Amino acid sequence: MSRLDDGSGHDRLWPLTLLRFSLALTSVLLFGQAVSAGLFMGGVPVAFGLHRELATVSGVALMVAILATILARALSRAPRWPIAATIGLLALMSLQAFAGFRSLVALHVPLGVVVILLSVALTVWVWRRMPRQQPNREDDREGPEKAAARASVRMARSNNG
């Protein structure tokens, strides 16, 4: 075993932690987008620059979340659908940015609401539904000989009982 793999399965949990925090950060930043848009529409001109910068940072945070969903699938056996969901959310954010640059407020604002809601829904799901720890995988740690012996004992017990 390497120093990074202590055999407990915790080495496979870091992508889930990264996913949780990157999605939470994305949601907070997107909420900040709504606040800065409201300030700008309310007559605070400096809020426009903040709105634009928050868009960039929230996009980067979402890209980290996309990477984390791929790693969570590969290393932690997470479901596949969050990969598509985070990529879809990035596509919606790109469409929203396009609408914003073109001053299509009738599309930009409602799409912003949808993006925030989807981001919060993903964040809530990942904090409530994703496993907090790996299931006990003794068979992975003890080697093939012991795993085979353990499996044959289990089979014998189930056939006898």
Side-chain angles (χ1 to χ4, degrees):
M1 269 182 252
S2 71
R3 292 179 59 164
L4 294 176
D5 182 4
D6 63 0
S8 65
H10 290 259
D11 58 310
R12 296 182 190 171
L13 292 179
W14 69 266
L16 298 175
T17 302
L18 178 62
L19 179 57
R20 284 186 177 105
F21 284 102
S22 59
L23 279 176
L25 178 62
T26 301
S27 293
V28 168
L29 290 169
L30 289 173
F31 182 74
Q33 288 264 133
V35 170
S36 63
L39 289 171
F40 176 68
M41 287 188 233
V44 180
V46 72
F48 180 73
L50 178 62
H51 183 72
R52 187 178 58 234
E53 295 306 319
L54 282 172
T56 302
V57 176
S58 62
V60 170
L62 185 58
M63 288 181 211
V64 171
I66 291 169
L67 177 63
T69 59
I70 294 167
L71 291 171
R73 172 67 185 162
L75 300 176
S76 302
R77 298 183 186 109
R80 288 186 184 135
W81 71 264
I83 297 170
T86 52
I87 291 171
L89 187 59
L90 184 62
L92 287 175
M93 285 176 64
S94 299
L95 178 60
Q96 184 188 13
F98 172 79
F101 284 124
R102 296 288 181 189
S103 298
L104 303 172
V105 178
L107 175 63
H108 184 71
V109 173
L111 196 53
V113 172
V114 170
V115 165
I116 291 170
L117 290 174
L118 289 175
S119 177
V120 169
L122 275 171
T123 302
V124 168
W125 178 83
V126 80
W127 280 92
R128 296 186 79 203
R129 300 288 183 214
M130 292 287 276
R132 295 195 190 280
Q133 55 187 338
Q134 282 295 106
N136 190 3
R137 302 285 301 173
E138 289 180 14
D139 295 344
D140 288 348
R141 292 193 303 255
E142 58 190 14
E145 297 84 17
K146 283 189 176 182
R150 184 180 296 276
S152 64
V153 167
R154 279 190 228 137
M155 188 180 298
R157 285 182 185 161
S158 66
N159 289 338
N160 292 333

